Structures are given as structure tokens and as C-alpha cells.
Amino acid sequence: MAESEFEDLGPNSGLVEEMYARYSENPESVPDEWREFFDHREDGAPAPTPTAVPARTRPAPAPPTQYRPPAPQGHAPAPEGSAAPQPPSPAPPADGDRPVPLRGATARIVENMEASLGVPTATSVRTVPAKLLEVNRQILNNHLARTGGDKVSFTHFISYAVLKALARVPVMNSSFEVVDGQPNVVRHEHVNLGLAVDVEKSDGSRTLLVPNVKRADTLDFKAFHDAYEDAIGKVRSGKLSPEDFAGTTGTITNPGTIGTMHSVPRLMPGQGFIVGVGAIAFPAEYEGADQRTIAQLGVSKTITLTSTYDHRVIQGAESGRFLAVVHDLLLGNDEFYDDIFQSYEVPYEPARWSVDVSPAAAVGEPDALASTDKAVGVQQLINMYRVRGHLIANLDPLGTKEPQTHPELDINHYDLTIWDLDREFPTGGLAGEPTMTLRDILGVLRDAYARTIGVEYMHIQEPDQKAWIQEHVEGVVWEPTREEKERILERLVAAEAFERFLHTKYLGHKRYSLEGAESTIPMLDALLSAAADDGVEAAILGMPHRGRLNVLTNVVGKSYSQMFREFEGELDPMSAQGSGDVKYHVGATGKHASPAGNEIVVTLASNPSHLEAVDPVVEGMARAEEDQKGDQERRKVLPVLLHGDAAFAGQGVVAETLNLSEVPGYDVGGTVHLVVNNQLGFTTAPEIGRSAVYATDVAKMVQAPIFHVNGDDPEACVRVMRLAFAFRQTFRKDVVVDMICYRRYGHNEADEPAFTQPRMYELIQSHPSPRTRYVDALVREGDMTADEAAAVSEDFKARLDAAFSETHKSAPPDPSRAATPDAPSEPRLQAPQADPSVRVVTGVDRSVLERVVEGLTSRPEGFTVHPKLERILQAHRVAFEKDEVDWS
């Protein structure tokens, strides 16, 4: 097999020849895929490259000859068979200037470049403003930095724009072929986009490799980015296979990384186009200008793109239109950036292109601030972020709604544009700075009000309370210590492991799981720790059923053994309830120790009534204890109320309790409210269960500040709980924390939530738990190793296993229990004995039952029943046909 047979592999042929040389010496010295590739070629069969261009008749490769330079233009080639004219003998080289023969891959590059001369090409050139590209890349990379994603480069954006443009100008994805001696055009169904990568070899020499992304036109941006980086990774690690560069239909090359403004690259046979990406920079005439002057003038960096194409199958107008479409996309048309952001689930809208509205500052005065109108607009924008920033915050862990920018949070609403981002404006003291660029102003505002924390407080009338919140959130970065992170993780592990343990050991029992809202436990831990360290002596908690068992064990300190005994049926015989439900009604008292060693007595009030009925009870208990302690300043007792979102919005007792919060006879010095907002009221979605934007809007009646927080960000959850406590201690008034989360199971574990919320529970089913996400973040950021995180989980599980084992060893004999000692059962209650002399006829005619069954199992035309429910309904019909009737 002659090495010249590799010429159909284009610029990668040099690599192939090197691999073939190794293969020829020892076939075992090359990877399996290369050996298979060469074996097929040696046998004369096509190589196994499934995505390669289909085989066609090609001119037979010429036999190896000595190198001859191409004939100079204007000279006819020598007739076939005649002796070629001999070039004149070169002059003797000067000392040290001796020619070095090009061999191997470098010689192949020579042949490739000369082969490219056989492709009649033309080149289109277009310069595109890069301002919007820069802004949206920064927004996306900031988001990826917060969520642990890999950075995205300008080339990723531009390559994706090329793919989108090819869909609108598909003629560009064509190539020229000779089939049976006749010229043909090949219209490729998909784009295998080649990525030209400059590689420095171990000897210091450089070569070019061009792997491709297969079917790149079928990928969204995130998938394309991953495939792109995978291809580059193979180049850098030397793990390329023949499959990686087979079937390239077009290429993108980026000489801009070395400062080249634009280039006209060579086009290899078999491809239709190659796009060159130049450097992103200000026009050369502005290189010496002051940056503030450039900002005032509204000068954008630019990027020059070239499209070099095979002129036999692509025309200049088509290439020009192709670059125009790329230009159009990079300015954000056709929702180009929206699609990119959506692929990464970015919870914000991208920046939009707009023409600069030039400020009235005098040219030549670079220190002059923008016009008065724009300065006023910036002040309005700052105020509206304080008022409405929460509306664009990333609060929903499930991301069920498309991100939308509220009009009053859009810079264009104030005649501000992307061109103003690098201009300076007065801030009114934002984050302690008199002036900042608009870019930095937006950074401070978004970090304060529109990340995973959203704050509502501008409804408060007292200026000092608003100023306090601004001082504590604007320009303030809170980074927990390693010890604090370890404690947050340990509390998350405790919350999750406890629920999963119960789910495994007591399958089928109701427990009103906290899963999906596990951040509740580190939040309460942080609140009680802060209270203990501040000298608070007692905390009185009230809560509904959801998560009550978890709070009893992991916050109040009830023993796991006692909890397991209650699941086994060892209940208080004097209980009026007498059923397993009593576990979710009882209270308890314990002690909580802060990391600093300070203690606080914690009481969880019993709640045998419905949900929020416990609220005024807790307030009364707190007021009574304060009065007993003579605590006139109301600093020694902390009332804490946990709520469900639907109950907080829907039960009148909540408003009644809030309404008395500052009445002298009922004042307790402020209550910390934690709303465990799982975005469902039993089966009811928020939008059809209330008219308010938030479940917490009722708290505005007493001008309480409201901190909304994403339950999937446990560090943010802990931070807002500390802020809430500090605000309560400072101003002695109620404060609300709205933790937005989800409910992994139904209202109780026997319910099937997908019957009423199928879309939501499809998201929940694939959504990782808060603990899983937090462990991933800690490992990614280097705060903890995966083994250390696993050890925390294993340690806690061992404690639960030990408690469970202890429960079974100490349990008294129970004659009502099944023979298997580990099989738990609910306590059996004696049913009253019926009088055999009295018979009540309960039967109905079969025709009535037939009508019932028919009604249950039929449905209107075009109505689709949930698959799980359909099986249950049809089971009624099957049973009835066997003369069996289920009472339900």
C-alpha cells in the first residue's frame, strides 16, 4: 500500500502516514482502531468509517515521483512523455544555509498544499461587531462558573453560528467529485464540521490536524460544545482515530488566537468551504485610545470572518449570503443566543443588540460622565432592581418556567444599551462606591437580588430597615468556611439519609417526607446556632406534618430508636388518636448546640390540628415564656414557625397571627417564618390556588421583609436564615424566608402525584437531590474529595442501622405481629363485634354496578387518561367480569 493513497484524508494525511509507518514495523504498536483501518486498506476493502463520505470513483493515485514544483503561471506544462526541463543548478549555499529535506508529515503538508491548488477557490470577507458576542459570552461563562460548567470560547459561539447559517444556506455544505469521469456536486445531508488544530510536536515542530464533529448540525449548543471539546481533547492527548477525521464536509480555523486579523486558508479536495476566524480586537486605529474614550464613542471590537469556498459548486453570492447570515446570528437574531442559553438552562435572558444612543458628554473629555438623562435612567434601574429584582432571580430548582426579563429590569427601558456597559455613572452610594461602570452596577445588583436569592423589602416604610438590608446584600460576598461547608453537608446527609432509611425499612408507611426540601435542616441548624451564640435561651417551633419526623430527630434531638419504635407500633396507649398518625402530631423538647458550643433549649409544639392552627399557639407559648423570664426586650425567646406554601397563602389563621404580631399584648419581638415551598397545595398548582405572585405576599401586610431562596443552593439557604435572624434581633419584628423547593413524592408516600402533575413529576424524577448537587459542587471546587463526602454518608447510615438494630433487640414480644420479626406492621385495633341476629342488606342490582363500571372505564373522545390511572381503572372492569367488586 503506497503512502500516497492517504491523500484523500486531507490535512490529516501526515498523521496517518506516521501511524502507518509504525503499523508497518509492528501492527501491535498502534491502537486497535488504527490497526483495523490499515488492515482493511491492505486487503483492498473500504476502511470501517461509518460516517465517512460514501466511496465514489476517484482518479487513481499517481505513483510516487520525485518532487517537482508546479509549473509557473503562464507556462504550458511539458507534453506527456517528454522529458521535463531541468531547472538551473542552484547557487552553492552560504555557510550554514544548507537545505534540509522535508520528510514524513511535513512532506505530506507540501503535497496537500499543492493538491489544494487544484481546487479553484474564491474568498468572501465580512467584518462583524463583537460587542454582543462579548457580553453574552460573559453572562454565560459567569453562569457556568457558578454551576461548575466548562468555559465557552468565542470560537464555540462562531462555530455554532456557522452551523445555523448552513441550515439557511445549505448550498455551502457541498463538495465537488468526479464520478465515472464526469464532474458532480455532492449535497451533504449533514455537516461534519472540521476543527483545524495547530499542534506542537515534541521536537518543537508544528503540524495541523483536523478532526471533525459528526452530524454537528443536529446538536444543540451544549451538545456541540461537548463534542467540540471532546475532539480537541483527543488531539491534545494523541488519542485520535481514523473515525475522528473521516468525512469532513467543511472546516473552521481560528488564526485569530495568534492575533491574525483575517486569513484566506487553503481548501482541500473533498470539502466545500473553510471559514477563517480572525482576532477579536478594536480597529487598529483605536489601539492607543483611552478605554473611557472608546466607551464614550461607542466603538466595538470587531471580528473578521472569511469564507473560502470551492467555486465549482458554490457561487460568490451564496458565500456572501452565508456570511451575512452568520453576521445576523451573532447580532442575536433568530433567537440565536436564546437557544444557546436554553441549552445550558441559564435562568436569564441574553443581552439584546441595539444601536447606541450617544451620550451628551463632550468628545475629548474622557472623564466626563454620561448625560443627565442616562444618569437618571441608571438611578431608576438601581431602584427597580431593589423593588423587582426577585422576579428574575433563579429561585425554582426545577426551572419549570422560561426565563423572562421584567420590562423595568431591562436596560433598554431606560434608553440604556449594551454600549453603555463600559461607561461610568453615579451610583448613589451603591456598595459604597460613588461611581461605577454600568457593567459593574449590574453585577452588584444581580448578585444581590437576582441569583439564587431574591429579596422583597421595598414595601417597608422605615428607611433604616431598608438601608440595613441594602448594607447586608449589596456588594457583600458570603463564602462559608470549610468547617461551615462540612456542617451544611452533614446536615443535608442527615436529612436525606433519615428519609431514605424510613422509606426502605417501613415501605408503605406515611411519613410526609422532607425529600426535595432537605435544605430545611441546615437552615434550622444555622438559625438555632446563631440564636444560641447571640444569647437566646429558648426557641419554640411550630410546624405542620411535612418534614416533622426529620425535624424531631435531626433538630430537636429525638432519638432514632424512639422514632423507629413508633413506626413499629409502640405508641402512647393514652393517646386520643390511637393510630400511626400520632407520630406526626406529637411535640418534643431538646437542646441544640452551636459549633461554638453554646446551647439553646428547643421545643417543638404538638400540632394535632390542621396545619396552621398551631401558629397562635406557638406565639402564646413564646409570649408566656418571655413574661416568665421577665424578658422585656424580647431577646431570650425565639418563636419559629414552619409553613407549607399553600397553607400560608390559604389559611386565614396565618393573616390573623401576623396581624397581632406588633400589638402590645401579643408582641413576641418578632417571629422567624420559614415557608417550605414545594410549589404544590396537595395537588393544586400555585397559579390556580391563589391570586398573589408569591405564597408569602400576605406577610407584606405587616411590612415584614421576605427572603426568597432556591432550595437547591444550601449555602444560600443558610445565608438568608442568618440574615433573617440578624434582622429579627435588630428590629424586633417578623421576617419571612420562602425556600422554594419541590416534593419528591405525593402528599404522603401512598399518593401518586403524577396523576395530577405529570410534567412536574417528570422533572422531579430526573432531578438530583440537594445533597447530591452540593457534594458535586464541593468536589468540583476542591473543598472536599468524593471519598470524604462518601464517608459522611456512610457514617450517618451506620448510626441509623445501629439504632434500628437496637430497636429490634429491645422490642417486647407482640402477639399481633407477623411471624417474621423484621416485618413491621401497623398496630391492630379490635373491631366491634357485629350482632349476628341483625342483617343489613347492602347489595345492589348488577345493572347498577355495570353502569358504574362503564362510567369508570369510558371517557370522552380525544381524552387521554394517565397510563398508571388507566391500568387501575381497567382493573375494575377485569375484576367485575370475574364477578369481583372492589368497594372503591
Side-chain angles (χ1 to χ4, degrees):
M1 182 170 60
E3 291 182 352
S4 59
E5 290 186 28
F6 301 132
E7 64 183 9
D8 61 327
L9 298 174
N12 301 290
S13 55
L15 170 67
V16 183
E17 288 183 4
E18 289 183 8
M19 299 299 287
Y20 181 64
R22 290 168 53 187
Y23 167 85
S24 299
E25 291 183 9
N26 178 13
E28 299 299 322
S29 67
V30 297
D32 292 345
E33 58 267 27
W34 284 100
R35 188 163 60 252
E36 186 179 2
F37 177 75
F38 293 130
D39 287 345
H40 277 73
R41 289 224 170 192
E42 292 280 6
D43 296 339
T49 51
T51 53
V53 177
R56 291 181 174 83
T57 305
R58 297 179 183 270
T65 60
Q66 288 190 331
Y67 170 72
R68 291 180 183 160
Q73 290 187 343
H75 294 264
E80 188 175 351
S82 62
Q86 298 297 316
S89 299
D95 289 343
D97 295 338
R98 302 193 179 280
V100 178
L102 297 177
R103 296 187 177 90
T106 53
R108 174 56 64 184
I109 290 175
V110 173
E111 295 182 25
N112 288 340
M113 292 301 98
E114 290 178 354
S116 72
L117 296 174
V119 181
T121 62
T123 299
S124 306
V125 182
R126 193 175 185 102
T127 300
V128 180
K131 184 71 171 181
L132 190 64
L133 179 63
E134 274 195 299
V135 173
N136 279 324
R137 175 177 175 263
Q138 182 183 35
I139 294 173
L140 178 56
N141 278 337
N142 286 345
H143 171 75
L144 293 175
R146 289 189 295 272
T147 57
D150 294 328
K151 292 184 70 172
V152 173
S153 71
F154 290 115
T155 311
H156 292 131
F157 278 97
I158 295 166
S159 299
Y160 194 63
V162 165
L163 292 171
K164 291 295 184 183
L166 289 171
R168 287 171 53 181
V169 192
V171 68
M172 292 296 295
N173 195 37
S174 305
S175 61
F176 178 82
E177 287 262 355
V178 175
V179 180
D180 297 330
Q182 296 296 319
N184 281 255
V185 60
V186 180
R187 307 291 189 196
H188 300 291
E189 181 180 0
H190 292 291
V191 182
N192 294 338
L193 186 65
L195 312 173
V197 185
D198 178 70
V199 179
E200 183 175 3
K201 301 170 74 174
S202 58
D203 62 359
S205 62
R206 312 191 76 87
T207 189
L208 186 71
L209 295 177
V210 189
N212 66 56
V213 176
K214 300 288 189 290
R215 298 167 64 93
D217 55 307
T218 65
L219 307 176
D220 68 8
F221 182 77
K222 183 178 185 301
F224 171 71
H225 174 262
D226 292 344
Y228 184 113
E229 289 304 300
D230 182 61
I232 299 299
K234 287 182 178 180
V235 172
R236 302 301 183 202
S237 62
K239 295 182 179 179
L240 283 171
S241 70
E243 166 69 8
D244 292 315
F245 45 72
T248 302
T249 62
T251 300
I252 188 163
T253 183
N254 186 8
T257 56
I258 56 174
T260 301
M261 297 309 294
H262 90 274
S263 67
V264 183
R266 302 302 308 171
L267 187 65
M268 298 304 299
Q271 299 181 33
F273 72 93
I274 182 168
V275 172
V277 179
I280 296 180
F282 288 110
E285 56 270 28
Y286 289 98
E287 285 190 1
D290 183 90
Q291 290 298 312
R292 289 170 296 182
T293 301
I294 290 176
Q296 288 297 100
L297 294 175
V299 177
S300 170
K301 291 181 180 179
T302 60
I303 183 168
T304 301
L305 305 176
T306 60
S307 167
T308 299
Y309 54 94
D310 190 331
H311 215 335
R312 293 170 295 189
V313 293
I314 300 170
Q315 300 308 306
E318 295 165 332
S319 176
R321 179 167 174 261
F322 165 69
L323 287 183
V325 172
V326 174
H327 185 150
D328 201 45
L329 292 169
L330 293 178
L331 295 191
N333 291 304
D334 285 350
E335 297 186 332
F336 176 70
Y337 294 107
D338 299 77
D339 291 345
I340 290 174
F341 278 35
Q342 187 176 28
S343 73
Y344 274 102
E345 299 180 350
V346 180
Y348 314 107
E349 282 194 83
R352 308 294 182 189
W353 175 261
S354 56
V355 176
D356 184 28
V357 179
S358 181
V363 176
E365 297 181 16
D367 293 327
L369 296 175
S371 67
T372 301
D373 287 346
K374 289 206 173 193
V376 170
V378 170
Q379 290 302 313
Q380 291 176 311
L381 180 66
I382 292 172
N383 181 65
M384 291 317 298
Y385 259 92
R386 290 167 173 166
V387 175
R388 309 205 196 285
H390 56 89
L391 294 176
I392 63 169
N394 176 22
L395 299 176
D396 181 4
L398 302 177
T400 53
K401 295 180 181 178
E402 292 291 325
Q404 290 185 336
T405 299
H406 189 280
E408 291 178 309
L409 299 174
D410 186 350
I411 60 175
N412 293 293
H413 186 74
Y414 307 99
D415 292 330
L416 299 166
T417 69
I418 57 173
W419 305 96
D420 293 305
L421 291 175
D422 295 310
R423 294 169 179 159
E424 283 200 350
F425 296 93
T427 68
L430 177 70
E433 296 293 333
T435 63
M436 299 169 73
T437 65
L438 180 57
R439 186 189 302 275
D440 291 339
I441 289 171
L442 287 172
V444 169
L445 294 173
R446 287 170 179 161
D447 287 344
Y449 302 113
R451 298 303 181 203
T452 52
I453 298 173
V455 191
E456 287 187 277
Y457 68 101
M458 292 296 281
H459 55 276
I460 298 174
Q461 294 177 7
E462 289 79 0
D464 59 334
Q465 295 179 21
K466 292 187 287 189
W468 187 95
I469 292 174
Q470 290 166 12
E471 179 184 340
H472 284 78
V473 300
E474 292 178 355
V476 177
V477 178
W478 181 70
E479 177 66 25
T481 64
R482 177 182 169 86
E483 290 73 22
E484 288 171 328
K485 291 181 179 182
E486 289 175 349
R487 189 172 178 101
I488 291 172
L489 176 61
E490 192 274 335
R491 294 290 78 203
L492 282 176
V493 167
E496 180 180 287
F498 177 75
E499 297 289 357
R500 292 191 175 182
F501 191 88
L502 292 182
H503 189 66
T504 301
K505 300 297 184 182
Y506 302 102
L507 187 63
H509 283 238
K510 289 187 295 183
R511 55 193 167 90
Y512 299 98
S513 164
L514 194 64
E515 285 165 280
E518 292 95 331
S519 292
T520 301
I521 302 304
M523 292 175 82
L524 291 176
D525 177 76
L527 174 63
L528 296 174
S529 294
D533 292 343
D534 197 51
V536 178
E537 297 175 2
I540 301 177
L541 279 62
M543 67 180 300
H545 293 354
R546 174 83 47 217
R548 188 180 190 86
L549 303 183
N550 216 312
V551 171
L552 278 167
T553 53
N554 288 318
V555 176
V556 181
K558 184 173 183 175
S559 73
Y560 299 119
S561 299
Q562 176 60 32
M563 184 62 67
F564 296 153
R565 282 194 290 271
E566 291 180 9
F567 270 92
E568 298 283 346
E570 188 181 313
L571 301 172
D572 180 1
M574 302 301 292
S575 167
Q577 301 289 326
S579 75
D581 278 352
V582 78
K583 294 190 292 293
Y584 318 101
H585 298 159
V586 297
T589 298
K591 284 188 177 181
H592 173 87
S594 74
N598 298 307
E599 289 189 342
I600 182 172
V601 176
V602 182
T603 299
L604 177 63
S606 296
N607 186 10
S609 300
H610 189 60
L611 303 176
E612 301 293 335
V614 76
D615 295 359
V617 176
V618 168
E619 303 294 354
M621 292 171 66
R623 175 62 183 246
E625 188 157 349
E626 287 173 342
D627 289 347
Q628 285 181 340
K629 293 177 180 291
D631 181 16
Q632 297 298 316
E633 294 185 357
R634 318 248 175 249
R635 296 190 63 92
K636 297 180 181 179
V637 180
L638 174 68
V640 181
L641 288 175
L642 280 73
H643 313 266
D645 51 318
F648 195 81
Q651 291 195 252
V653 68
V654 174
E656 293 168 1
T657 304
L658 286 168
N659 198 41
L660 294 173
S661 64
E662 296 184 41
V663 174
Y666 303 89
D667 180 20
V668 293
T671 299
V672 175
H673 299 266
L674 171 57
V675 179
V676 181
N677 187 341
N678 57 37
Q679 308 183 73
L680 273 181
F682 197 0
T683 62
T684 306
E687 60 271 16
I688 55 177
R690 64 172 188 261
S691 299
V693 176
Y694 296 107
T696 52
D697 282 359
V698 66
K700 292 180 182 178
M701 64 185 283
V702 294
Q703 299 183 43
I706 302 166
F707 294 90
H708 305 282
V709 63
N710 189 319
D712 264 5
D713 187 347
E715 290 184 5
C717 290
V718 166
R719 181 189 180 195
V720 297
M721 207 48 137
R722 291 182 173 184
L723 285 171
F725 174 74
F727 183 90
R728 186 265 182 190
Q729 291 296 85
T730 303
F731 299 105
R732 300 290 186 274
K733 65 182 293 185
D734 282 35
V735 59
V736 177
V737 174
D738 178 25
M739 182 192 68
I740 301 173
C741 51
Y742 56 93
R743 188 186 69 196
R744 186 163 291 280
Y745 300 106
H747 173 67
N748 62 57
E749 288 66 37
D751 294 331
E752 177 46 78
F755 286 165
T756 53
Q757 300 293 335
R759 294 180 181 174
M760 181 184 218
Y761 274 85
E762 185 178 6
L763 292 172
I764 290 173
Q765 191 173 15
S766 60
H767 193 79
S769 70
R771 180 201 62 83
T772 301
R773 296 172 65 91
Y774 192 51
V775 166
D776 290 345
L778 291 176
V779 172
R780 182 176 64 245
E781 294 165 7
D783 294 309
M784 186 176 290
T785 67
D787 289 342
E788 289 172 334
V792 176
S793 297
E794 289 301 319
D795 176 65
F796 194 82
K797 185 178 183 301
R799 289 156 56 191
L800 290 172
D801 285 331
F804 184 75
S805 177
E806 176 191 335
T807 301
H808 276 252
K809 288 178 182 178
S810 63
D814 185 352
S816 68
R817 183 166 305 172
T820 305
D822 288 339
S825 64
E826 291 284 359
R828 296 183 177 182
L829 302 180
Q830 294 295 322
Q833 297 299 310
D835 184 346
S837 65
V838 180
R839 297 193 61 180
V840 179
V841 179
T842 60
V844 296
D845 290 340
R846 186 178 182 89
S847 61
V848 174
L849 294 176
E850 287 174 346
R851 191 165 72 251
V852 172
V853 172
E854 180 62 25
L856 282 172
T857 57
S858 61
R859 59 203 49 81
E861 184 178 350
F863 183 85
T864 303
V865 179
H866 191 284
K868 289 185 178 180
L869 184 57
E870 177 70 12
R871 289 195 296 271
I872 294 173
L873 294 176
Q874 292 303 326
H876 290 305
R877 179 182 291 277
V878 172
F880 184 65
E881 290 172 352
K882 296 178 180 179
D883 293 330
E884 297 175 1
V885 178
D886 187 301
W887 70 268
S888 64

